[in-house]
Amino acid sequence: LAHPWAEVWVDGKHVETTPFDHPVSLPAGEHQLLVRHPKLGEMKQKLALGPAQVVIWTVDLGARKDSVTVTPAAAAALAGGAP
């Protein structure tokens, strides 16, 4: 989720432009996420996903704020622990 609209990049590849109404499925492993707006810049997030994990990354480029909501196993991976 991004406000305002933004290009969504995963592992260096453009995958979508917000808003969109479907999840982006990723395989388990490490990923680099990026959202980019031509006037408001970009924000990055690194994460490590375990199998069947759900992560919601909410970004407000105007306010330069973001938050990550994860299932418990993904939270451990984000903190550097084992999923």
Side-chain angles (χ1 to χ4, degrees):
L1 306 171
H3 178 76
W5 68 270
E7 296 174 346
V8 177
W9 295 71
V10 178
D11 300 328
K13 296 179 184 177
H14 179 251
V15 296
E16 190 65 81
T17 300
T18 66
F20 50 93
D21 61 357
H22 59 279
V24 175
S25 295
L26 300 173
E30 293 186 6
H31 297 282
Q32 178 72 42
L33 307 179
L34 176 132
V35 292
R36 178 182 297 152
H37 185 278
K39 293 185 179 181
L40 298 175
E42 61 186 40
M43 292 183 80
K44 296 178 183 178
Q45 179 68 249
K46 261 200 222 181
L47 62 108
L49 290 175
Q53 297 302 298
V54 176
V55 176
I56 299 173
W57 183 30
T58 304
V59 177
D60 185 333
L61 286 168
R64 305 299 301 165
K65 293 182 181 179
D66 71 332
S67 65
V68 177
T69 305
V70 296
T71 59
L78 280 170

